[in-house]
Amino acid sequence: MNIKPLADRVLIKPTPAEERTLSGIIIPDTAKEKPLRGTVIAVGNGTKDEEMVVKVDDVVMFGKYAGTEIELDGEKLMIMRQSDILAIIND
């Protein structure tokens, strides 16, 4: 299924939560932090007041309570406004 965000919205695939700490301790599902970064998989066209800065395949960082979680073809994704994105991460 194809999905195209409207206006200034962005579709993001969140990075999976860490399974272990750096010292090797396994983190249970109830204690895992919500991912704060992900990869952009689709972008809208923007609005007349705000052009789209992010593009597909950008790795971005977003706020803890940003966006809305959706499930598409069994995959958990997030849709949010471009203004909810805090930074583009360049590796």
Side-chain angles (χ1 to χ4, degrees):
M1 173 184 264
N2 277 341
I3 187 167
K4 173 77 171 157
L6 298 177
D8 64 338
R9 288 182 176 78
V10 179
L11 188 64
I12 297 175
K13 181 179 180 179
T15 305
E18 293 293 324
E19 300 287 326
R20 294 176 180 256
T21 64
L22 294 175
S23 60
I25 299 172
I26 297 174
I27 303 171
D29 288 339
T30 56
K32 287 182 184 172
E33 293 268 333
K34 182 178 171 187
L36 299 177
R37 65 189 293 180
T39 304
V40 176
I41 58 172
V43 296
N45 294 327
T47 64
K48 65 179 182 172
D49 298 327
E50 184 175 358
E51 68 178 78
M52 295 305 286
V53 176
V54 296
K55 51 193 176 310
V56 175
D57 292 330
D58 279 349
V59 177
V60 296
M61 186 170 10
F62 47 87
K64 192 174 208 171
Y65 302 106
T68 302
E69 286 188 10
I70 61 172
E71 191 165 329
L72 185 64
D73 295 334
E75 188 173 29
K76 290 188 179 187
L77 303 172
M78 295 190 70
I79 191 161
M80 64 184 69
R81 293 190 177 274
Q82 177 178 255
S83 59
D84 290 338
I85 295 173
L86 304 175
I88 298 173
I89 302 170
N90 297 321
D91 287 333

